[in-house]
């Protein structure tokens, strides 16, 4: 069985401030990890993913996440947020070689204030 | 548009009616997932299908809900005798079917039961 915990349901920040959205997972096998972003009334879009190799992965719009196996975490960070980053962010885990079904966290609402 | 296509985007049904939600996966994808999103509850897995085969339906309610993915045509999520509690956003996702694959989401179908 696998599970994902997103510790913060809502994270308010001011524009240009740094932000970290936390994600912890549990799994009995090796994992693949994903962050998705959802804008209002839209579907989920892949932001970045970790499959193997470098533990630090980056997106094209300045987000990054680091896979930490010892702490079973995959926190999402951005050094300077924009108003347009306001959205719901979902962390997801898939077990390697096992279930093909991703398990999602409950989501973190990032609210960027001017 | 080569993405995952869902329709209708919005559907209103009276209690007791049937709702049918359709999903066409991305080109080249043979695996489809259905998730339900309720306010404050994140994404809940419902069912995972391959062409003509249900692989995992552990998240499907035992009654009134069914899903299929025929050899030809879109995947269908069918909800019979809808109740107010079925009001939610229903998301379809697809993948090529390997364990490390990213799953890609459609824009969702918003069901409102009045």
């Amino acid at each position: 069985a696998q599970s994902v915990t997103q510790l913060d349901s809502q994270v308010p920040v001011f524009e240009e401030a740094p932000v970290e959205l936390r994600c912890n997972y549990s799994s009995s096998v090796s994992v693949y990890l994903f962050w998705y972003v959802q804008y209002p009334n839209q579907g989920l879009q892949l932001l970045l993913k970790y499959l193997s190799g470098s533990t630090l992965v980056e997106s094209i719009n300045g987000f990054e996440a680091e896979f930490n196996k010892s702490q079973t975490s995959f926190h999402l960070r951005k050094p300077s947020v924009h108003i347009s980053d306001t959205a719901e962010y979902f962390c997801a885990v898939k077990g390697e070689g096992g279930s093909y079904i991703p398990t999602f966290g409950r989501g973190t609402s990032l609210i960027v204030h001017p | 548009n080569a993405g995952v296509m869902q329709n209708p985007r919005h559907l209103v049904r009276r209690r007791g009616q049937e709702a049918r939600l359709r999903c066409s996966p991305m080109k080249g994808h043979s695996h489809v997932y259905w998730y339900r999103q309720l306010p404050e509850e994140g994404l809940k897995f419902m069912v995972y299908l391959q062409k003509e085969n249900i692989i995992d339906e552990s998240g499907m309610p035992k009654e009134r809900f069914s899903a299929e993915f025929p050899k030809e045509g879109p995947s269908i999520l069918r909800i019979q005798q809808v109740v107010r509690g079925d009001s939610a956003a229903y998301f379809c996702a697809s993948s090529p079917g390997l364990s490390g694959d990213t799953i890609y989401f459609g824009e969702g179908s918003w069901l409102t039961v009045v």
Side-chain angles (χ1 to χ4, degrees), chain A residues 43-80:
Chain A
L44 279 72
Q45 302 170 33
L46 179 69
L47 190 58
L48 46 74
K49 62 184 177 183
Y50 169 79
L51 301 182
S52 65
S54 173
T55 57
L56 184 66
V57 290
E58 298 176 351
S59 72
I60 57 173
N61 57 352
F63 283 94
E64 65 178 30
E66 186 160 19
F67 169 51
N68 188 319
K69 188 175 181 179
S70 63
Q71 297 187 7
T72 60
S73 68
F74 191 55
H75 300 332
L76 182 70
R77 291 186 282 264
K78 189 171 185 180
S80 175

Side-chain angles (χ1 to χ4, degrees), chain A residues 5-59:
Chain A
T5 302
Q6 291 186 245
L7 296 164
D8 306 297
S9 60
Q10 203 172 84
V11 174
V13 293
F14 286 106
E15 195 172 19
E16 298 184 7
V19 71
E20 178 179 81
L21 307 183
R22 295 179 291 173
C23 171
N24 288 88
Y25 68 91
S26 67
S27 175
S28 57
V29 298
S30 297
V31 296
Y32 303 116
L33 293 157
F34 307 82
W35 275 99
Y36 285 82
V37 58
Q38 183 184 31
Y39 299 101
N41 299 316
Q42 294 186 25
L44 279 72
Q45 302 170 33
L46 179 69
L47 190 58
L48 46 74
K49 62 184 177 183
Y50 169 79
L51 301 182
S52 65
S54 173
T55 57
L56 184 66
V57 290
E58 298 176 351
S59 72

Side-chain angles (χ1 to χ4, degrees), chain B:
Chain B
N1 188 341
V4 178
M5 302 300 292
Q6 288 188 249
N7 67 82
R9 288 296 311 280
H10 299 276
L11 182 63
V12 179
R13 285 287 178 263
R14 295 186 182 279
R15 280 177 293 172
Q17 290 185 319
E18 178 180 287
R20 284 192 181 218
L21 310 178
R22 289 176 291 278
C23 169
S24 296
M26 285 179 72
K27 189 175 180 180
H29 288 189
S30 59
H31 291 234
V32 164
Y33 310 74
W34 285 94
Y35 286 82
R36 178 164 62 176
Q37 185 176 35
L38 291 163
E40 310 300 325
E41 291 192 20
L43 277 168
K44 298 294 185 185
F45 166 74
M46 299 182 75
V47 62
Y48 171 40
L49 310 105
Q50 246 183 323
K51 287 278 187 181
E52 300 184 281
N53 189 25
I54 296 175
I55 301 174
D56 188 319
E57 57 181 347
S58 58
M60 286 278 270
K62 296 290 184 242
E63 296 177 350
R64 301 188 298 108
F65 285 72
S66 62
E68 62 176 8
F69 189 15
K71 186 177 181 181
E72 301 292 336
S75 175
I76 306 283
L77 179 67
R78 183 182 178 203
I79 311 172
Q80 295 178 288
Q81 299 171 356
V82 296
V83 301
R84 288 240 171 94
D86 297 332
S87 296
Y90 292 83
F91 289 96
C92 172
S94 73
S95 78
L98 299 177
S99 65
D101 286 334
T102 304
I103 70 169
Y104 294 91
F105 283 84
E107 292 287 289
S109 291
W110 270 258
L111 172 65
T112 302
V113 180
V114 297

